[in-house]
Structures are given as structure tokens and as C-alpha cells.
């Protein structure tokens, strides 16, 4: 419509969902569900506000703050806060839209939301970040609560920022409640939460391998290309190594590291990278100062890994949205990639997804099988939901208990996507089900069925 601002990221997310629904039997079997698409694609509430704060020089600074409360049919709004200069309403609407269906796939009682600010924490002192977080939460605290909206961290929002915002909320409201997840484990956080998205991603792709091989294949011995070097990429890499896989790439916004030998990254390398990223430094600094890295990797400035690996079995995009293009999708297939699961939200362009899906249909079990973000990376928000449960119980679960719950959630999510795709799509002999279609349909049906029960549409 001409009176609606152009929102490319949100419109891309909407198109992906709509195309899966329209291309399936869903609206033939349940035609009444089609009317809900126009309702579920509009947020219940969008909050936008200014954030004023002072830097260490006493100079006035102004940023934009947002919270998109997209859908509460299944529970309180749940989704991260992102601090990054690129943050805008289109990105947050796409993330909140995706979050709604992702949260539905976890099986937990959580709605969908997303928020953040165009504030850039890079180059800021701890005191500047603390002042910003208190100023940001001064307004956000009016709109959130443990039974209303429970934010978490995202890009630019780690344990430090979560701590400051939790402290601000507690100060303004004079009450301790599980209003934000990703907290420190000594004051209400859950064990395995930092690891959850990366671990869950590897659990999901492990089920893909097992199903495609009839239970015979695992990650052991596989060459795995991972993008990013933040929380998701680090823990996906560590879980891959634990299961016997070989991590051959990592990257950041300035370039990519590609293994030149058979060894790839080891756990010590990941630990060094984690320390580097905690200090908000780039991979190029580690590559230039560490002789071991120079001898085992090549660094490609300004590049992503996907067109720069000669041989690969599994790809795990774990950096940011639209990080795999149409050409890079073709390059991955040419390099032998058989499985791709997204650790980043909407990690592939629509054109790339069409390449994956065409290859899956054309080459059957020999083609590339695609695991979409809303299913493959739902482990992070799943453990956030488990953190909410622990807060409500005033209890703390063991690492083993949380990890067992996470593994079970990822397994159920995989089978839900798979069986839903089988139910609503006709498949040729030997063709693997479309997990992206299954995820979109399963998430959509669960959300809009709850909305109908609430009288949100009829």
C-alpha cells in the first residue's frame, strides 16, 4: 500500500511466510486460516521513543529506542534487544515477526517481540554504556514486565548490558522480577543460556543428518563452515568439535578466516576468539598478532566464507541477516555442501532460499537440505523460556537438566517441521521434505489458531 513506508527486511520475511503458506495445501484444507494472514502480519503495538544521555565529556547524546510487541497469542512478548547503528523499524518488525513463529515452534508459552536502539556500544566506556542503559530502560520499563513482555539480549547487548538494564528496571519499579533473560547465573540467569543458540543449532542439524541418512550419519568427520564469531558462532563451533566435526571457517564484519589445512579451528582457538570479541576487537587483530593463526588460516578482508571454501559438508550462517546471497548459495552447492542451517535470523536472501529449495527438489537426497532460522536457531529463546520458568519457581536448574530440555525442544521442533511439511506438501519419490515450508506452516497454524480462540480474528 502506498501509505506504508518501504520496509525491505520485514517485507522479505512476510513474503517467505506467505509463499510457503500459499504454495501448500493449508488454505485448501483450512480456508478460514487465510484471513488471519492480514491480521498476524501487523504488530499489536509499536513503541518508539527518544533516549537522551550524556557521554563521559558531559555532552548530550540522543538515540532512538524501539520495542515492537508483535504478538501475544501464546504468551508474553518475548524477543531480544539489539544495540547497533543499523537498527530501524523494518529490521525490528522482521525480527519480531520471525520471533513470533520461532517461539511457537519451541512449544513454550511465549509471544513474539523485538526491540533495541541505534546506539552503538563499540568504542563506549562502561560508564557510558551504563548511562545509556539506564536512560533506555527509563522509558522501556513502562511497557514491559514478567507477564507482559520479557526482552533478552541480541547483537550489541551482552551480559554487561543486560545487567545494567535489569538494575535500572529494579530501581525504577522497586521490585525484583524475571523481566529480562540472559541474566547472570548468580542473580536469576539460567545455565546453558549463553550456549543455547549455538548448541541448539548443532542439535537441529544433527537431526537433519540422521534423517537424511536413515540414522546412519552424524556430524563426526564433517567439514563445517560457520560465519560470525560472536556468541552463536562460538558455541556452534564448540559443539561441532565436541561431536567430532571440523570447523573450517569463522568470520566477522571485517573479513573471514579460512582453514588452509585439515585441522581447522580447535577449542583453544575458539577461546582466543571469544576473549577477542569480549573486548570488541576484530579477527584481523588476532590474525596479525598470532603466528599460529597465520600458519593455519588465510584471512580474507571484506569477505564472507561461502564462496571461499573448496570443500564443505555443512554450512551454519551465524552472523546476520541476508548473509548468503544467490551466488553464494550456488557456490556452497558447488563445494559439496549438503546441509545448511541458519544460526542467524533470516541468514539467507530469498533468492538463496530458492536455490536451496530447487536443489533439494532436483537432486533429491543428493541436494542441499535447508534448515531455516525460525526452527534451527530457536534454542536460544527456548532456554530464555526455561529461564523464565526458573525465575517463576525461584529455583535454578543444573546444566545437565537445561541441556536435556534444550535437546528435547530441538528434536521436537525438527520433527514438527518435518511432519508438517509432509502433511501439506506433495513430494516426489526420494525427495526430502521442505523444512522451511514445514516451519512456516507449523508456526503459523499454532499462532493464528490461538488468536482465533481469543477472538482476534474470525
Amino acid at each position: 500500500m502506498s501509505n506504508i513506508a518501504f520496509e525491505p527486511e520485514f517485507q522479505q520475511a512476510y513474503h517467505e511466510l506467505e509463499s510457503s503458506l500459499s504454495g501448500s495445501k493449508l488454505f485448501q484444507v483450512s480456508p478460514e486460516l487465510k484471513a488471519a494472514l492480514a491480521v498476524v502480519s501487523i504488530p499489536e503495538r509499536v513503541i518508539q521513543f527518544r533516549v537522551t544521555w550524556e557521554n563521559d565529556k558531559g555532552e548530550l547524546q540522543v538515540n532512538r529506542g524501539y520495542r515492537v510487541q508483535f504478538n501475544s497469542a501464546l504468551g508474553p512478548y518475548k524477543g531480544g534487544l539489539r544495540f547497533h547503528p543499523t537498527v530501524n523499524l523494518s529490521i525490528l518488525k522482521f525480527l519480531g515477526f520471525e520471533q513470533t513463529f520461532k517461539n511457537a515452534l519451541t512449544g513454550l508459552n511465549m509471544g513474539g517481540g523485538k526491540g533495541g536502539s541505534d546506539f552503538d556500544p563499540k568504542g563506549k566506556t562502561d560508564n557510558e554504556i551504563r548511562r545509556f542503559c539506564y536512560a533506555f530502560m527509563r522509558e522501556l520499563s513502562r511497557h514491559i514486565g514478567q507477564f507482559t513482555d520479557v526482552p533478552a539480549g541480541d547483537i550489541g547487548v551482552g551480559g554487561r548490558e543486560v545487567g545494567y538494564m535489569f538494575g535500572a528496571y529494579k530501581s525504577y519499579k522497586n521490585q525484583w522480577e524475571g523481566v529480562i533473560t540472559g541474566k547472570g547465573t548468580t542473580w536469576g540467569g539460567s545455565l546453558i543460556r549463553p550456549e543455547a543458540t549455538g548448541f541448539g543449532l548443532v542439535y537441529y542439524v544433527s537431526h537433519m543428518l540422521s534423517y537424511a541418512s536413515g540414522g546412519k550419519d552424524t556430524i563426526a568427520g564433517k567439514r563445517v563452515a560457520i560465519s560470525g564469531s560472536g556468541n552463536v558462532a562460538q558455541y556452534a563451533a564448540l559443539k561441532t568439535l565436541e561431536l567430532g566435526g571440523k570447523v573450517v571457517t569463522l568470520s566477522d564484519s571485517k573479513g573471514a578466516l579460512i582453514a588452509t589445512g585439515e585441522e581447522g579451528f580447535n577449542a583453544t582457538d575458539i577461546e582466543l576468539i571469544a576473549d577477542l570479541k569480549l573486548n570488541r576487537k576484530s579477527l584481523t587483530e588476532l590474525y596479525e598478532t598470532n603466528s599460529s593463526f597465520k600458519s593455519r588460516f588465510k584471512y580474507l578482508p571484506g569477505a564472507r566464507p561461502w564462496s571461499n571454501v573448496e570443500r564443505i559438508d555443512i554450512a551454519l550462517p551465524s552472523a546476520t541477516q541476508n548473509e548468503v546471497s544467490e551466488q553464494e548459495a550456488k557456490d556452497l552447492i558447488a563445494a559439496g555442501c549438503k546441509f545448511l542451517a541458519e544460526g542467524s535470523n533470516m541468514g539467507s536472501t530469498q533468492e538463496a532460499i530458492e536455490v536451496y529449495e530447487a536443489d533439494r527438489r532436483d537432486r533429491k537426497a543428493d541436494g542441499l537440505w535447508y534448515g531455516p532460522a525460525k526452527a534451527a536457531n530457536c534454542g536460544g529463546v527456548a532456554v530464555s523460556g526455561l529461564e523464565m520458568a526458573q525465575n517463576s519457581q525461584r529455583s535454578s536448574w543444573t546444566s545437565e537438566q537445561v541441556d536435556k530440555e534444550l535437546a528435547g525442544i530441538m528434536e521436537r521442533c525438527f520433527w514438527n517441521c518435518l511432519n508438517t511439511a509432509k502433511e501439506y506438501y506433495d513430494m516426489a519419490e526420494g525427495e526430502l521434505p521442505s523444512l522451511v515450508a514445514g516451519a512456516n506452516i507449523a508456526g503459523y497454524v499454532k499462532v493464528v489458531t490461538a488468536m482465533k480462540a481469543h477472538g482476534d480474528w474470525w
Side-chain angles (χ1 to χ4, degrees):
M1 295 174 64
S2 60
N3 65 325
I4 298 176
F6 180 54
E7 296 174 332
E9 293 86 1
F10 173 68
Q11 288 164 8
Q12 178 184 339
Y14 173 85
H15 173 71
E16 183 204 299
L17 178 79
E18 190 277 333
S19 61
S20 290
L21 301 178
S22 298
S24 74
K25 302 175 186 176
L26 177 65
F27 295 148
Q28 300 170 29
V29 176
S30 305
E32 73 281 2
L33 295 184
K34 189 171 185 178
L37 184 58
V39 183
V40 77
S41 61
I42 298 176
E44 292 176 7
R45 190 175 298 108
V46 176
I47 301 153
Q48 183 172 345
F49 52 95
R50 69 171 178 256
V51 185
T52 56
W53 57 285
E54 288 185 355
N55 64 17
D56 286 346
K57 297 177 181 179
E59 299 167 336
L60 176 66
Q61 305 292 310
V62 183
N63 288 97
R64 291 173 173 83
Y66 305 88
R67 188 64 179 172
V68 177
Q69 295 178 332
F70 218 106
N71 194 289
S72 60
L74 299 178
Y77 306 108
K78 186 81 192 78
L81 296 169
R82 177 175 294 192
F83 292 169
H84 194 273
T86 62
V87 163
N88 59 43
L89 199 52
S90 175
I91 288 174
L92 294 179
K93 281 181 66 178
F94 122 63
L95 290 168
F97 188 65
E98 289 280 291
Q99 195 79 49
T100 297
F101 306 111
K102 177 191 301 186
N103 292 358
L105 292 172
T106 68
L108 304 176
N109 295 123
M110 300 181 292
K114 209 75 177 184
S117 174
D118 57 4
F119 171 76
D120 187 359
K122 288 186 178 179
K124 305 294 192 301
T125 66
D126 283 351
N127 271 331
E128 288 175 326
I129 290 172
R130 179 179 56 82
R131 283 195 291 270
F132 173 81
C133 288
Y134 268 71
F136 179 80
M137 188 54 75
R138 188 178 297 117
E139 176 60 31
L140 187 64
S141 63
R142 304 167 186 260
H143 310 286
I144 62 175
Q146 62 177 328
F147 301 115
T148 306
D149 185 348
V150 185
D154 194 77
I155 293 173
V157 178
R160 172 182 54 180
E161 291 78 13
V162 166
Y164 291 153
M165 286 190 283
F166 183 83
Y169 182 91
K170 184 163 61 75
S171 174
Y172 298 146
K173 295 292 187 179
N174 192 31
Q175 59 191 35
W176 195 109
E177 60 179 273
V179 71
I180 188 168
T181 56
K183 300 184 292 296
T185 53
T186 58
W187 45 277
S190 176
L191 294 169
I192 307 295
R193 177 60 191 92
E195 299 93 334
T197 308
F199 279 15
L201 174 65
V202 177
Y203 292 152
Y204 192 91
V205 81
S206 295
H207 288 296
M208 294 172 68
L209 267 79
S210 179
Y211 180 86
S213 66
K216 298 175 183 177
D217 211 354
T218 68
I219 285 178
K222 299 294 186 297
R223 292 174 60 85
V224 182
I226 302 175
S227 66
S229 49
N231 179 277
V232 179
Q234 291 167 24
Y235 287 111
L238 288 173
K239 182 57 72 172
T240 297
L241 294 176
E242 179 187 322
L243 297 178
K246 298 178 182 179
V247 178
V248 296
T249 73
L250 288 169
S251 67
D252 63 14
S253 60
K254 293 188 176 180
L257 283 172
I258 314 291
T260 53
E262 288 298 314
E263 177 189 354
F265 292 86
N266 57 44
T268 301
D269 297 332
I270 306 303
E271 184 178 345
L272 288 172
I273 289 170
D275 290 341
L276 184 83
K277 290 302 171 180
L278 193 62
N279 292 309
R280 301 186 183 276
K281 295 181 180 179
S282 63
L283 291 177
T284 183
E285 296 184 47
L286 184 60
Y287 180 75
E288 291 172 353
T289 58
N290 188 303
S291 58
S292 175
F293 271 71
K294 279 199 169 183
S295 66
R296 295 183 293 125
F297 304 99
K298 59 181 177 182
Y299 179 76
L300 303 177
R304 296 187 291 228
W306 317 124
S307 297
N308 296 289
V309 285
E310 295 180 1
R311 184 167 52 87
I312 176 181
D313 301 304
I314 301 168
L316 303 177
S318 302
T320 189
Q321 67 265 12
N322 288 331
E323 58 170 302
V324 186
S325 67
E326 178 181 9
Q327 183 57 53
E328 287 169 317
K330 293 176 181 177
D331 291 340
L332 283 169
I333 291 169
C337 185
K338 292 295 184 66
F339 302 91
L340 184 146
E342 292 173 331
S344 53
N345 291 309
M346 203 167 74
S348 305
T349 65
Q350 186 60 39
E351 294 78 11
I353 294 171
E354 289 168 4
V355 170
Y356 308 151
E357 289 293 273
D359 194 54
R360 176 188 60 81
R361 289 190 299 268
D362 294 344
R363 295 200 296 146
K364 308 296 188 296
D366 291 327
L368 183 146
W369 202 16
Y370 166 56
K374 62 171 59 71
N377 78 10
C378 75
V381 74
V383 174
S384 282
L386 300 180
E387 181 176 328
M388 292 165 64
Q390 292 169 75
N391 290 168
S392 296
Q393 296 170 354
R394 298 292 192 270
S395 66
S396 297
W397 300 351
T398 64
S399 296
E400 292 77 14
Q401 186 177 358
V402 178
D403 196 32
K404 182 179 179 181
E405 291 284 343
L406 170 62
I409 287 170
M410 299 311 298
E411 181 177 10
R412 291 189 293 274
C413 177
F414 170 77
W415 286 106
N416 188 12
C417 297
L418 186 104
N419 290 329
T420 302
K422 287 182 175 180
E423 181 178 357
Y424 289 104
Y425 273 83
D426 293 324
M427 295 183 299
E429 183 70 27
E431 182 181 320
L432 292 168
S434 171
L435 294 176
V436 63
N440 283 329
I441 296 168
Y444 178 81
V445 169
K446 184 169 184 178
V447 171
V448 302
T449 301
M451 290 171 64
K452 186 174 185 180
H454 301 166
D456 291 339
W457 66 277
W458 55 91

